Amino acid sequence: MAPLWEPLKIDAFRTLYIALSIAMLAGWMNSVACSWLMTTLDGSALMLGLVQGSYTLPGLFFALAGGVLADRVDRRRFLMSMCLVLTLIGLDLSLLTALGWIGPWGLLAHTLAMGIVFALQGPAMMAVIQDMVRRDLLPQALTLNSISLNVGRAVGPALAGGLIGALGVAAALVCNAASSAMMAVMFARTPRPHMRQAPREKFIEALWNGLRFAVTERRFRGILLRFMLFLSCASSLLALMPLVAKETLGGGPGVFGTLITWVGVGSVVGAMSRGRASSRLSPNAHALISAAIGAAAFGGMAFARDLVEASAASFFYGLAWTNATITFQVAAQMSVPAAMRGRGISLFMMTFGTGMMLGGVIWGIVADVYSIKVAMLGAGIGTALFSVATWTLTLNLPPSAEDDLEPMDVAP
């Protein structure tokens, strides 16, 4: 198996990766800044929750449309346009905040607009990565993407906190607008991929074909079902971690931040160590082992007596979570034909959002009715049982299709 850093030898991917890493860092800064801003405008937990929901909820409604667009239009120009829209939204929010003219509902309108753009551009962004690298380098490219995401998660909030303290919320918000503008310039200078021509579909027809593909293609359908069942249990720790920090450990924001940091550290370590393990294990085995480690992490968190033990459980949870999600993502993306790539990614994104929502709701109710400990143990057992029960829904990669072996040729 090629080394983890091999995709970075490809000029186009290296440029995209650097820009994406900066954008992810700025994105986490923006998320923290918006949440903090809402606490100063309206201190209710509901409004704070709506800020986070406004980023993720649009994915359930707009991701498939974004996938259709990713398969129908020049992805480079589409992404450039979306980044320009994000730049304008970010600049407007920064200016209104600096002038003191923003209110809670105005902030939600801006974050919701950002969430819609994220949902529309997400499939095209992931498809562009697959355009730039050979099929055999896709696992490494997605792993690198996961590393930059988790580094941003670990570093971004701290940078945002320092910047907000020194210069105010608007300073952190404008960083996100600047990174979006940088991405737009990068896509404007990126060579346009030569897409192999597929039969031209109308928008509604393409939308329907994407849904039909998910229903009728047995391998892809199995991957999505297996992933959703995994998420319905495994994602619960992310949703319940604030309660773990507050009620189980008796801590505050600092304890919660420490646990999140260790999840990020585990994710980075897990992603960077994937290469050697993946070369020896099938995707099926890789997902099963990740589920077993994740289940053990749930057990460790359930019985953690102090911050040290809870941090250790968070570390192994991050390691297992990242390895499992990358394994599912690679299997899904390599199971769709090139002409269906954007829609396949969008369906994966919708499955991810639905599974995360189910995990938070189901195990949140269990925690309220019984206890956090019972929810942690139940989710851990469910993670392991679902992984064993869905073993026959294979993640093993299909035979390489001829048109997916090499990246698409590019032209200026």
Side-chain angles (χ1 to χ4, degrees), residues 23 26-30 86-87 90 114 118 171-181:
W28 281 106
M29 294 175 65
N30 185 79
L86 281 176
T87 301
M114 291 180 186
F118 292 151
L173 294 173
V174 80
C175 289
N176 189 56
S179 72
S180 297

Side-chain angles (χ1 to χ4, degrees), residues 227-236 355-356 358-360 362-363 379 386:
F227 188 42
M228 183 176 292
L229 291 174
F230 170 81
L231 289 170
S232 68
C233 294
S235 67
S236 60
M356 292 284 288
L358 288 174
I362 293 171
W363 298 105
F386 276 140

Side-chain angles (χ1 to χ4, degrees), residues 26-36 51-52 55:
W28 281 106
M29 294 175 65
N30 185 79
S31 178
V32 170
C34 288
S35 295
W36 180 257
V51 171
Q52 298 304 315
Y55 284 117

Side-chain angles (χ1 to χ4, degrees), residues 173-259:
L173 294 173
V174 80
C175 289
N176 189 56
S179 72
S180 297
M182 174 202 65
M183 290 288 291
V185 172
M186 187 274 299
F187 281 119
R189 301 178 61 182
T190 300
R192 180 173 62 86
H194 280 311
M195 304 289 291
R196 295 190 177 184
Q197 293 298 316
R200 192 68 175 173
E201 303 167 290
K202 294 181 180 180
F203 186 89
I204 298 299
E205 181 186 7
L207 198 70
W208 171 250
N209 286 339
L211 292 172
R212 185 171 59 182
F213 178 83
V215 172
T216 59
E217 291 296 321
R218 183 173 179 270
R219 181 190 301 276
F220 187 67
R221 184 180 69 238
I223 292 171
L224 295 186
L225 176 59
R226 186 171 176 180
F227 188 42
M228 183 176 292
L229 291 174
F230 170 81
L231 289 170
S232 68
C233 294
S235 67
S236 60
L237 184 55
L238 294 173
L240 297 177
M241 195 166 283
L243 291 178
V244 172
K246 182 179 179 180
E247 298 185 11
T248 302
L249 300 177
V255 172
F256 174 55
T258 299
L259 296 179

Side-chain angles (χ1 to χ4, degrees), residues 177-401:
S179 72
S180 297
M182 174 202 65
M183 290 288 291
V185 172
M186 187 274 299
F187 281 119
R189 301 178 61 182
T190 300
R192 180 173 62 86
H194 280 311
M195 304 289 291
R196 295 190 177 184
Q197 293 298 316
R200 192 68 175 173
E201 303 167 290
K202 294 181 180 180
F203 186 89
I204 298 299
E205 181 186 7
L207 198 70
W208 171 250
N209 286 339
L211 292 172
R212 185 171 59 182
F213 178 83
V215 172
T216 59
E217 291 296 321
R218 183 173 179 270
R219 181 190 301 276
F220 187 67
R221 184 180 69 238
I223 292 171
L224 295 186
L225 176 59
R226 186 171 176 180
F227 188 42
M228 183 176 292
L229 291 174
F230 170 81
L231 289 170
S232 68
C233 294
S235 67
S236 60
L237 184 55
L238 294 173
L240 297 177
M241 195 166 283
L243 291 178
V244 172
K246 182 179 179 180
E247 298 185 11
T248 302
L249 300 177
V255 172
F256 174 55
T258 299
L259 296 179
I260 288 294
T261 297
W262 279 108
V263 171
V265 172
S267 296
V268 173
V269 171
M272 295 186 69
S273 62
R274 268 185 61 84
R276 184 169 297 180
S278 295
S279 64
R280 295 187 175 96
L281 298 172
S282 70
N284 265 354
H286 205 89
L288 187 62
I289 292 173
S290 296
I293 296 173
F298 272 104
M301 188 65 77
F303 291 102
R305 295 166 295 181
D306 53 38
L307 182 58
V308 173
E309 293 179 356
S311 296
S314 297
F315 172 84
F316 285 105
Y317 174 80
L319 188 151
W321 171 262
T322 296
N323 275 280
T325 52
I326 292 175
T327 299
F328 281 108
Q329 187 175 8
V330 171
Q333 287 192 222
M334 298 183 75
S335 296
V336 296
M340 193 71 67
R341 184 171 294 160
R343 281 163 285 182
I345 294 170
S346 69
L347 289 164
F348 182 85
M349 291 172 60
M350 292 170 68
T351 301
F352 183 85
T354 303
M356 292 284 288
M357 181 180 65
L358 288 174
V361 171
I362 293 171
W363 298 105
I365 292 173
V366 172
D368 284 340
V369 174
Y370 298 99
S371 68
I372 297 174
K373 183 176 181 179
V374 171
M376 291 290 99
L377 290 174
I381 293 171
T383 298
L385 288 180
F386 276 140
S387 295
V388 173
T390 57
W391 174 267
T392 56
L393 301 176
T394 182
L395 301 180
N396 293 337
L397 304 181
S400 298

Side-chain angles (χ1 to χ4, degrees), residues 4-28:
L4 174 62
W5 310 108
E6 189 70 19
L8 293 176
K9 295 180 180 180
I10 302 171
D11 291 340
F13 177 78
R14 183 172 63 250
T15 301
L16 174 64
Y17 183 70
I18 293 172
L20 267 177
S21 297
I22 296 173
M24 287 181 182
L25 178 65
W28 281 106

